[in-house]
């Protein structure tokens, strides 16, 4: 079956530009996660949704980062006024059950801010 | 101190070698433990969960020592296709996965 998909796969933005990254989780998966992976590092947690509810946004680095999942399926991570330090791979993961369960990752969006 | 620390690597080994990765975690309340594999420019994929009794999956053996807060992964008879970054991952009582920095393995012919 289809896995987690993300778009765009690559995004180049000028500093100060707003970007929107999309995640399509596996159909029926309740939980959705966003992670940020800087070059040479492991992924770091950003935020967690259970269906449409954003239960944890403690990992979002600043108020320029905003995520939503309005209908409990597709999610969008928006970064306003991008900075060079936002350059990273943004990974989305979904899992079947609330909170726990195996997290399946999408291919990521590679963001480069110039 | 980082929550999950791994051998810095990189590891370069010949085909057929046995290689071991080590990992320590700082949160004694951690409940679930995993090894993920990440190929270059790809997403992380679950390799195996790690249980207190130790577990094996073919050429891969994982061990957990809760008292020492230590996790290991042993790969026997390494193949060229094992070349990847291996990520040690811990989950607490909630849903968050905490990743180590990863250890790069290159298996040479």
């Amino acid at each position: 079956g289809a896995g987690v998909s993300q778009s765009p796969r690559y995004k180049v933005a000028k500093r100060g530009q707003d970007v929107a990254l999309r995640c399509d989780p596996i159909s029926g998966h309740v939980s959705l996660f966003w992670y940020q992976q800087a070059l040479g590092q492991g992924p770091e947690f950003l935020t967690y949704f259970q269906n449409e509810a954003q239960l944890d946004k403690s990992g979002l680095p600043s108020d320029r980062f905003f995520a939503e999942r309005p209908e409990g399926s597709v999610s969008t991570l928006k970064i306003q006024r991008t900075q060079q330090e936002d350059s990273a791979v943004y990974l989305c993961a979904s899992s079947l059950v609330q909170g726990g369960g195996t997290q399946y990752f999408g291919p990521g969006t590679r963001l480069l801010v110039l | 101190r980082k929550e999950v620390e791994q051998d810095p690597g990189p590891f370069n080994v010949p085909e057929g070698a046995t290689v071991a990765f080590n990992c320590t975690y700082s949160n004694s309340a951690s409940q679930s433990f995993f090894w993920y594999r990440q190929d270059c420019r790809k997403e992380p994929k679950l390799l195996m969960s790690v249980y207190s009794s130790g577990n094996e999956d073919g050429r891969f053996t994982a061990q957990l020592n809760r008292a020492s807060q230590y996790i290991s992964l042993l790969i026997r008879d390494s193949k060229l296709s094992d070349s990847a970054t291996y990520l040690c991952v811990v989950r607490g009582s909630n849903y968050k996965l905490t990743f180590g920095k990863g250890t790069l393995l290159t298996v040479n012919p």
Side-chain angles (χ1 to χ4, degrees):
Chain A
V4 178
S5 60
Q6 294 186 243
S7 61
R9 292 293 310 279
Y10 303 91
K11 177 70 179 178
V12 179
K14 292 183 180 178
R15 191 158 52 101
Q17 188 178 349
D18 296 350
V19 298
L21 312 180
R22 177 187 168 108
C23 172
D24 282 85
I26 295 172
S27 178
H29 277 201
V30 168
S31 297
L32 186 144
F33 307 82
W34 284 98
Y35 292 85
Q36 180 191 59
Q37 186 171 22
L39 189 63
Q41 304 295 318
E44 293 196 0
F45 171 83
L46 294 177
T47 187
Y48 162 59
F49 289 87
Q50 182 180 305
N51 296 306
E52 69 279 3
Q54 188 176 22
L55 298 187
D56 188 338
K57 52 184 181 180
S58 62
L60 296 176
S62 77
D63 58 8
R64 296 185 296 103
F65 286 71
F66 171 77
E68 60 183 5
R69 193 187 185 198
E71 296 177 359
S73 54
V74 171
S75 177
T76 304
L77 176 66
K78 297 179 180 177
I79 310 174
Q80 296 176 323
R81 304 181 303 281
T82 51
Q83 304 294 316
Q84 286 186 321
E85 61 264 26
D86 300 335
S87 296
V89 177
Y90 291 85
L91 293 161
C92 176
S94 70
S95 72
L96 181 61
V97 298
Q98 296 176 14
T102 300
Q103 293 186 24
Y104 298 92
F105 284 81
T109 294
R110 192 171 297 269
L111 173 66
L112 177 62
V113 181
L114 302 175
Chain B
R1 181 186 171 192
K2 287 189 72 71
E3 288 189 56
V4 179
E5 297 204 49
Q6 296 186 235
D7 289 330
F11 285 33
N12 282 279
V13 303
E15 268 187 293
T18 295
V19 60
F21 301 116
N22 301 310
C23 169
T24 57
Y25 60 95
S26 60
N27 186 352
S28 59
S30 299
Q31 296 189 355
S32 304
F33 310 89
F34 312 92
W35 285 100
Y36 272 71
R37 171 195 167 125
Q38 186 170 29
D39 293 286
C40 187
R41 302 179 78 86
K42 300 283 190 181
E43 71 273 23
K45 290 185 178 177
L46 178 65
L47 178 66
M48 58 197 302
S49 300
V50 188
Y51 304 111
S52 296
S53 54
N55 48 298
E56 189 173 306
D57 182 2
R59 298 181 292 109
F60 299 82
T61 301
Q63 297 277 353
L64 167 65
N65 184 321
R66 285 186 181 268
S68 304
Q69 295 178 205
Y70 168 86
I71 307 163
S72 67
L73 176 69
L74 185 76
I75 305 176
R76 293 182 300 279
D77 187 25
S78 52
K79 312 291 185 192
L80 295 177
S81 57
D82 294 335
S83 297
T85 295
Y86 289 82
L87 296 158
C88 178
V89 186
V90 168
R91 183 166 64 199
S93 57
N94 56 21
Y95 35 78
K96 289 183 199 177
L97 297 182
T98 302
F99 288 79
K101 193 173 176 179
T103 304
L104 177 63
L105 170 67
T106 302
V107 181
N108 302 301

